Amino acid sequence: MENSTLESHHLRSSEHFVTYDSPYPLYAVALSPSAAHHRIAVGSFIEEYANHVDILSFDDDTLAIRPNPALSFDHTYPATKLMFRPSSAGKSADVLASSGEYLRLWEVRDSSVEQLSVLNNSKTSEFCAPLTSFDWNEVEPRRIGTSSIDTTCTIWDVEKGVIETQLIAHDKEVYDIAWGEAGVFASVSADGSVRIFDLRDKEHSTIIYESPQPDTPLLRLAWNKQDLRYMATILMDCNKVVILDIRSPTMPVAELERHRASVNAIAWAPQSCRHICSASDDTQALIWELPTVAGPNGIDPMTMYSAGSEINQLQWSAALPDWIAIAFSTKLQLLKV
């Protein structure tokens, strides 16, 4: 793709994005899958005990993001992740999950938020190792899997509030977890590996990728929900996105290397198996279309967006697939793609 073509795909005009300014730095972002509400949850990133989660509403007709003070609530420590219950759960109320030192569930009502449960993944103590991330199972929404710095992944039955299983998943801290099928999940770790687990055989896992440099941590994992053969991961302090095909372990099928600084976040398009977005410390969000066969000079992004500072979070809306949410500094922006 020529540079002149790339220039024409820069998202710069105001009709391409909507901005919300928060009173504090933002990290965690979640988009409600409910077509009725178009809610966005944002979590503060303040390096102290007292933090916050705000629930915003997005009107895609007027292109306005509005906070609802009645739906803001306090959160202990910054939330490492926020996620709404998948729409396949068939429930009317929005339920939001958050991770920090515990996994918490919150019911978001029209004019209030109620904490439903606090789930501690430590079986032996009231104290638990911090949770780095979690993923809510779209096929079986009673299940949430959490990842922790104590090397474990814990599978919760959140309807019963009990641990279904807990696995020592890696040799070092586990940084992210993602569901594939109903009983299959994958995780990435400071030990530099991507591992797949099947709950029908908890004694074994399959390593499908390891960092080329030993013990380079893998920070994030995204499983392609439109084509479960593919997943993406990112390495610590690395400018590339690694695309994996679980049918051919160990060798990436593509490496996306056009960022100029560390990649912080990745998200597959909710309604396309060939599109993925990445965001980086270089202030750019790039949208890629994966070719059937990569050319000798690698792959260029099809769309580029420049933010005001390093982008630390990225979510692609399932309810509004034309919109991508990014968080940087004290701003949340929705990008029209």
Side-chain angles (χ1 to χ4, degrees), residues 243-287:
I243 307 295
L244 305 172
D245 182 335
I246 63 175
R247 297 166 301 177
S248 55
T250 70
M251 280 300 294
V253 293
E255 293 186 337
L256 311 178
E257 300 185 77
R258 296 297 186 260
H259 280 292
R260 296 189 298 273
S262 303
V263 179
N264 297 322
I266 43 176
W268 291 96
Q271 297 183 339
S272 164
C273 64
R274 292 179 57 205
H275 293 86
I276 189 169
C277 186
S278 57
S280 162
D281 275 351
D282 66 7
T283 77
Q284 295 201 318
L286 305 180
I287 299 175

Side-chain angles (χ1 to χ4, degrees), residues 317-336:
S317 172
L320 297 166
D322 291 342
W323 293 93
I324 291 173
I326 61 170
F328 57 96
S329 183
T330 59
K331 296 185 186 331
L332 169 83
Q333 279 191 340
L334 293 180
L335 314 179
K336 183 91 179 265

